[in-house]
């Protein structure tokens, strides 16, 4: 059994980039085709072998926990009507051997602080962090990028940070890795010598950006505890990782799949199209519609 069983998913963000859609619905509950974004992300974790999912949440986001809970009335009604297929789709969102728990982040003090809120549940085990804004689509691959990162962590003991190359004028939106001029091929990892959160383009050590999947040792919680506010006045996970790599190996894993930033309007629309073109119920109709639009 893998030593990496836990995933921390921070869902306490306010979703300001997708307002007004996210005013009273958490952005994580916006659907991509027929499932909320958070369900796509939880399914990715489960497919990667995760057994304990820890949501870091806040007031007003209770519907996220409800989504993964049993809905007796709905189930009874679907069962009475004999709608077996839909019934199964809401009953088996996560397998019986996967637990979902939650902790609160009382104040929006940054991603590093959100992760730290889960420290007692992580309980010093290695764990993954999944940022739910980012959907990672591994298309027809049987395994996910995240499961490859977990295997790399188990084989080498090096923390794994998923990266992809971004345009140079976009580096100030991301955590950026310094890999001493090396660029890993897709599916490979190389050592990181420095990390910097949202650098100005002229100060960025590369264009290899952190895209929202991490495999980390339990010790990162102690480092987060000692991390001072950084970019944007927030406690940054990137800053704690920059400290970690001074004494422990930390590697940049270059992703194979495609990412969609559902925290932005354009990324969210792109996700709909990409996932809609893969969904058996919508792919043919959507393909025909897009061909027609292009005429
Ligand atoms: C966070 C991280 C950043 C990472 C990004 C990926 O930033 O702090 O290092 O590159 O997610 O989406 P945020 O987008 O929350 O500002």
């Amino acid at each position: 059994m893998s030593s990496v069983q836990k995933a921390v998913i921070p869902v306490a963000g306010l979703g300001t980039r997708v307002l007004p859609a996210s005013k009273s619905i958490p952005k994580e509950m916006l659907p991509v085709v027929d499932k909320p974004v958070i369900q796509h992300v939880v399914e990715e974790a489960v497919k990667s072998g995760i057994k304990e999912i820890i949501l870091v949440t806040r007031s007003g986001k209770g519907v996220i926990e409800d989504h993964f809970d049993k809905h007796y009335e709905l189930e009874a009604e679907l069962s009475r009507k004999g709608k077996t297929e839909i019934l199964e789709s809401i009953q088996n969102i996560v397998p019986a051997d996967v637990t979902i728990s939650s902790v609160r982040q009382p104040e929006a003090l940054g991603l590093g602080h959100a992760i730290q809120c889960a420290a007692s549940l992580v309980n010093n085990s290695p764990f993954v962090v999944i940022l739910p804004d980012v959907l990672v689509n591994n298309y027809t691959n049987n395994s996910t990028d995240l499961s490859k990162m977990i295997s790399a962590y188990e084989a080498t003991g090096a923390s794994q940070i998923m990266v992809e190359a971004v345009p140079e004028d976009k580096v100030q939106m991301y955590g950026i890795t310094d890999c001493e001029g090396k660029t890993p091929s897709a599916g490979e990892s190389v050592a990181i010598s420095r990390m910097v959160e949202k650098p100005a383009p002229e100060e960025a050590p590369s264009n290899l950006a952190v895209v929202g999947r991490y495999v980390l040792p339990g010790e990162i919680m102690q480092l987060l505890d000692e991390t001072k506010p950084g970019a944007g006045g927030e406690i940054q996970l990137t800053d704690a990782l920059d400290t970690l790599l001074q004494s422990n190996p930390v590697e940049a894993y270059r992703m194979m799949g495609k990412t969609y930033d559902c925290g932005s309007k354009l990324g969210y629309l792109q996700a709909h199209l990409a996932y809609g073109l893969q969904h058996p119920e919508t792919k043919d109709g959507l393909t025909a519609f897009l061909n027609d639009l292009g005429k």
Side-chain angles (χ1 to χ4, degrees), residues 218-253:
E219 294 93 296
I220 194 73
M221 294 297 187
Q222 178 63 35
L223 298 177
L224 282 168
D225 203 29
E226 293 157 11
T227 301
K228 302 267 176 300
E234 298 186 332
I235 296 170
Q236 298 291 353
L237 178 57
T238 302
D239 293 344
L241 290 171
D242 190 53
T243 307
L244 178 71
L245 60 80
Q246 287 159 29
S247 52
N248 288 275
V250 177
E251 293 180 346
Y253 167 87

Side-chain angles (χ1 to χ4, degrees), residues 10 17-18 39-40 57 63 67 76 82 86 100 117 119 122 128 131 142 189 214 219 237 252 254 269 276 285 293:
R17 289 186 296 155
V18 282
Q39 186 177 339
H40 286 282
T57 182
V63 289
H67 184 72
I86 313 176
I100 300 195
C117 291
V122 166
V128 307
L131 304 189
N142 282 329
S189 303
Y214 311 71
E219 294 93 296
L237 178 57
R254 180 94 180 261
L269 272 175
L293 264 189

Side-chain angles (χ1 to χ4, degrees), residues 17 27 111-112 131 133-134 162 171 173-176 195-198 209-214 234-238 261:
R17 289 186 296 155
K27 63 178 173 173
L111 174 60
L131 304 189
D133 276 355
V134 182
M162 191 161 85
V171 290
M173 294 168 62
Y174 297 95
I176 300 292
M195 290 179 72
V196 44
E197 180 69 10
K198 302 192 173 77
V210 176
V211 283
R213 302 292 182 271
Y214 311 71
E234 298 186 332
I235 296 170
Q236 298 291 353
L237 178 57
T238 302
D261 177 8

Side-chain angles (χ1 to χ4, degrees), residues 62-72 75 90-91 93-94 100:
V63 289
I64 299 176
E65 287 144 296
D66 291 349
H67 184 72
F68 295 100
D69 207 348
K70 199 166 176 66
H71 193 319
Y72 286 102
E75 289 184 22
I90 62 152
Q91 274 178 327
I93 291 181
V94 291
I100 300 195

Side-chain angles (χ1 to χ4, degrees), residues 179-193:
C179 301
E180 305 282 324
K182 295 197 191 85
T183 302
S185 309
E188 282 181 8
S189 303
V190 297
I192 302 177
S193 61

